[in-house]
Amino acid sequence: MNWNDRTNRQRLAEIILERAFKYCENPPFTLASGRTSPYYFNCKPVTLDPEGMNLIGHILFDMLAGSGVTAAGGLTLGADPLANALAVISFQRGNPIKSFTVRKETKGHGTKSRIEGAVKPGEKVVILDDVITTGGSTIAAIESVRAEGLIVDRVIALIDREEGGRENIEKLVGRVDAVFKRTEIMALYRKD
């Protein structure tokens, strides 16, 4: 399967439109960043769905072909289902990529670790996120994994809202990809 395979991307776009995307100009939605917008993406109904996870895992695996990354993760909760879907599909396809989670706050007991998963300093990783708006969550994940000695190869988001987040992240990581951009999803929404 190729991540640009129209069948995989088309089906994932259909699921996103059906379960994750909302549009309302009046009143607009308030986002986690505090901004308001007529567009809203709640990707959990897609990223936690069996079909959605399967499609996402295959698409991410194909996007990472030849990258040499050994692990994928990001800030909990947005990145967790993406990383886990990728881990399962990558194992099934013969090139395992581990998943890890970055906690929002350092654990106050035990090892007091902010990162959970079998990753070690020096590993090349990809940071994942379900939606990029300002890039704040993704940047927090990048800073945390770098502090643990991991090498961030790139960032992949399921949705880039195209509101400056990509540009903010690119100041720290040279490559930022998105499975979909908001304009693509909006074009499909207007077609229906």
Side-chain angles (χ1 to χ4, degrees):
M1 287 185 212
N2 183 319
W3 82 276
N4 275 320
D5 181 334
R6 298 226 15 101
T7 306
N8 287 337
R9 288 188 85 244
Q10 183 175 3
R11 179 59 187 144
L12 185 57
E14 290 169 1
I15 297 171
I16 288 169
L17 278 172
E18 182 182 304
R19 302 181 196 164
F21 180 70
K22 305 272 187 250
Y23 180 78
C24 181
E25 289 190 33
N26 192 17
F29 300 98
T30 300
L31 308 176
S33 65
R35 295 180 183 182
T36 59
S37 173
Y39 313 100
Y40 183 69
F41 290 93
N42 174 13
C43 290
K44 303 328 178 265
V46 175
T47 63
L48 294 168
D49 173 77
E51 182 183 12
M53 289 181 86
N54 184 60
L55 291 166
I56 289 165
H58 281 290
I59 290 168
L60 292 176
F61 183 80
D62 289 336
M63 289 175 80
L64 292 166
S67 68
V69 301
T70 59
L75 201 64
T76 196
L77 175 72
D80 297 343
L82 303 174
N84 293 336
L86 174 60
V88 169
I89 296 301
S90 68
F91 179 81
Q92 291 173 349
R93 291 182 60 185
N95 187 16
I97 297 171
K98 301 176 281 190
S99 69
F100 63 88
T101 295
V102 179
R103 295 175 183 275
K104 291 183 180 176
E105 295 177 12
T106 303
K107 188 165 70 167
H109 60 282
T111 61
K112 298 185 179 178
S113 177
R114 189 150 182 211
I115 298 174
E116 295 294 342
V119 290
K120 297 179 181 129
E123 285 192 66
K124 187 159 77 164
V125 303
V126 58
I127 299 295
L128 302 174
D129 208 340
D130 58 352
V131 180
I132 291 175
T133 304
T134 64
S137 297
T138 306
I139 290 168
I142 291 165
E143 291 169 348
S144 293
V145 301
R146 283 184 172 164
E148 296 295 321
L150 300 172
I151 300 162
V152 179
D153 179 68
R154 68 186 74 186
V155 169
I156 300 176
L158 180 58
I159 306 285
D160 178 358
R161 288 182 50 94
E162 299 175 292
E163 294 185 21
R166 173 190 292 260
E167 293 79 6
N168 291 336
I169 296 164
E170 285 175 338
K171 293 173 186 171
L172 297 174
V173 177
R175 182 165 180 180
V176 180
D177 297 319
V179 178
F180 295 104
K181 294 179 180 175
R182 177 194 42 85
T183 49
E184 290 177 85
I185 297 299
M186 193 64 198
L188 293 170
Y189 173 80
R190 291 193 193 280
K191 270 187 186 179
D192 289 346

